[in-house]
Amino acid sequence: QVQLVESGGGSVEAGGSLRLSCALSGDTTNNYCMGWFRQAPGEGREGVAFVSQLLTTTYADSVKDRFTISKDNAKNTLYLQMNSLKYDDTAMYYCAAVRSRTWCPSKLDAVNFDYWGQGTQVTVSS
């Protein structure tokens, strides 16, 4: 059974950096499109960044040039490097995966991802 476990969240001042990790067990990350979603209180779940099995990446406009998604298949781990953090980045961040042979789903909506981690909180103070 596939399980995802996030780590690396925390509190940081605006302008700071954090790196999130997501360890996948029960299979290999090489078989999945993987990504990060976030959800602020009272808001819907927003797609942040995604990486396909072919290592193509997609970013939300709000995080482009600040966040970098990467995947280490040897370690079965997904990462999200977050730089120049802003107050609006405050949210619970979730790792997600869907089995794929090549590309991520054309619509990067939460409903199209089958596996989820428990979330890790990121709090940015202004």
Side-chain angles (χ1 to χ4, degrees), residues 28-95:
T28 172
T29 52
N30 192 46
N31 291 332
Y32 294 85
C33 161
M34 299 187 71
W36 294 93
F37 289 81
R38 66 186 181 186
Q39 188 167 17
E43 302 289 333
R45 197 162 288 193
E46 173 195 21
V48 175
F50 302 89
V51 58
S52 73
Q53 192 203 24
L54 300 180
L55 301 182
T56 57
T57 56
T58 305
Y59 295 93
D61 288 342
S62 59
V63 306
K64 277 181 183 176
D65 301 324
R66 299 189 299 123
F67 290 10
T68 302
I69 190 170
S70 61
K71 187 170 62 160
D72 186 333
N73 289 329
K75 295 183 177 180
N76 255 14
T77 302
L78 177 74
Y79 301 99
L80 185 67
Q81 178 66 45
M82 304 186 294
N83 298 329
S84 302
L85 282 161
K86 303 176 181 179
Y87 175 79
D88 289 347
D89 294 320
T90 297
M92 185 72 79
Y93 283 70
Y94 297 91
C95 173

Side-chain angles (χ1 to χ4, degrees), residues 96-112:
V98 58
R99 196 169 180 87
S100 168
R101 295 182 63 183
T102 52
W103 309 107
C104 285
S106 57
K107 290 188 177 181
L108 296 169
D109 299 330
V111 67
N112 291 326

